[in-house]
Amino acid sequence: MLSYVTLGTNNIEKARAFYTPLYEAMGGKELFDNGRLYFYGTDMANPMIAVGGPYNEETATSGNGTMVAIQGGDPENIDRLYAKAIELGATCEGEPGQPPDASATGSSRARSTPSPRAAAAPNRPAPRKSHS
C-alpha cells in the first residue's frame, strides 16, 4: 500500500550525497526525479523514499516537506478515495489529477489535519526523468 515517503530538506546536495550511497549499499538507487524531489528505491513497484524541498517552497521542517503517499490504483479508485477522505473531514490541497509542478507520480492531496500534510489518494502516473 505504501508508495513513498518524502523527507524535506533545505540542502538537496547534502541529502543526495547521503541517500545515494546509502541506497546503493542496500541494493537500491536513485530511480528518478522531478526537478524538486529525488526518489530512491529498488524499483517502481516497491516503496520509495523521496528527498527534496517542500511543495510550498518554504523552509523544510519536521512537518513541512514530509509526506506519506499511498498507492491509489486506477483513476476511478483515486477519485473514490479522494471523495472518501473529503467526506471524513480532510481539506483539499489539490483535486485528483496531475499537480501543477508535474510531480513524478501525480496525486490528489487532502489534508487530514492542519499539520502535517497528508496525501489522500496519490499515484496517477506522470512523465518522469529516469536515472536508469
Side-chain angles (χ1 to χ4, degrees):
M1 240 184 190
L2 181 66
S3 181
Y4 62 90
V5 174
T6 63
L7 304 174
T9 181
N10 296 309
N11 187 332
I12 191 61
E13 293 81 19
K14 188 174 181 180
R16 289 179 71 202
F18 176 82
Y19 284 102
T20 299
L22 179 66
Y23 263 85
E24 287 171 353
M26 295 187 295
K29 63 181 179 177
E30 187 176 290
L31 296 171
F32 64 93
D33 73 86
N34 67 5
R36 181 179 62 86
L37 295 173
Y38 296 81
F39 289 78
Y40 294 89
T42 55
D43 57 58
M44 297 294 294
N46 288 296
M48 298 172 282
I49 288 181
V51 296
Y55 180 77
N56 64 6
E57 299 181 356
E58 294 179 9
T59 301
T61 63
S62 60
N64 189 31
T66 304
M67 176 179 66
V68 177
I70 58 171
Q71 294 192 17
D74 61 42
E76 292 77 26
N77 197 52
I78 289 172
D79 291 341
R80 184 182 66 78
L81 292 172
Y82 172 81
K84 185 65 172 180
I86 297 299
E87 174 189 322
L88 293 170
T91 57
C92 179
E93 287 193 350
E95 293 187 9
Q98 190 59 39
D101 73 344
S103 78
T105 60
S107 68
S108 67
R109 295 172 303 282
R111 187 184 298 265
S112 58
T113 59
S115 181
R117 178 175 151 160
N123 265 11
R124 283 205 183 157
R128 62 188 65 137
K129 187 172 19 172
S130 177
H131 294 276
S132 303

